[in-house]
Amino acid sequence: MLTGLKEFLTKKRIESTLKQYNIKLVHTSPGRIRLRINDWENKKKLKHLIHDMDSDCDIHSVHFTPETGSLLIFYNHSKATEEQTQERWLEALKKYS
């Protein structure tokens, strides 16, 4: 029960942080997050963001689809690393937003 509550609160915190940068959390599942970024004006920033995320040892891959504004992130979803991984990519998003 507490695990479900913790995941719910983490998801709400992530959504709140993303909203500040006009980024929508579309879908989450263990090890996978899809974001919608409608107004990426600076493609150079996006390129750096994807590079930084790809360099993270717990992120397996990052794919951006410009036609839809979709950013798909696959990451290590073990309970030991998931929260730290999410914190690192949120910091990367803040850095480039």
Side-chain angles (χ1 to χ4, degrees):
M1 172 99 176
L2 287 178
T3 302
L5 178 60
K6 185 176 179 181
E7 289 175 4
F8 173 78
L9 293 173
T10 299
K11 182 179 176 183
K12 289 298 177 189
R13 187 177 51 77
I14 290 170
E15 287 175 337
S16 175
T17 301
L18 294 175
K19 188 175 182 178
Q20 295 173 16
Y21 300 101
N22 200 23
I23 299 171
K24 182 180 178 188
L25 178 64
V26 177
H27 177 75
T28 63
S29 60
R32 182 177 185 270
I33 292 181
R34 182 179 302 275
L35 305 173
R36 180 86 60 229
I37 306 169
N38 293 323
D39 59 354
W40 273 100
E41 297 173 3
N42 189 332
K43 294 186 187 329
K44 187 176 182 180
K45 281 186 178 183
L46 179 61
K47 187 177 179 178
H48 287 297
L49 169 65
I50 291 171
H51 179 268
D52 281 1
M53 295 180 99
D54 269 337
S55 300
D56 189 306
C57 63
D58 288 320
I59 294 180
H60 301 299
S61 64
V62 180
H63 301 283
F64 181 69
T65 306
E67 295 82 12
T68 62
S70 177
L71 184 65
L72 183 59
I73 304 164
F74 289 95
Y75 62 94
N76 180 358
H77 67 277
S78 73
K79 292 297 179 191
T81 62
E82 186 167 21
E83 192 170 332
Q84 294 93 350
T85 301
Q86 290 173 352
E87 288 296 328
R88 285 194 308 270
W89 65 256
L90 277 176
E91 288 304 314
L93 282 169
K94 288 177 187 178
K95 180 179 172 183
Y96 292 109
S97 293

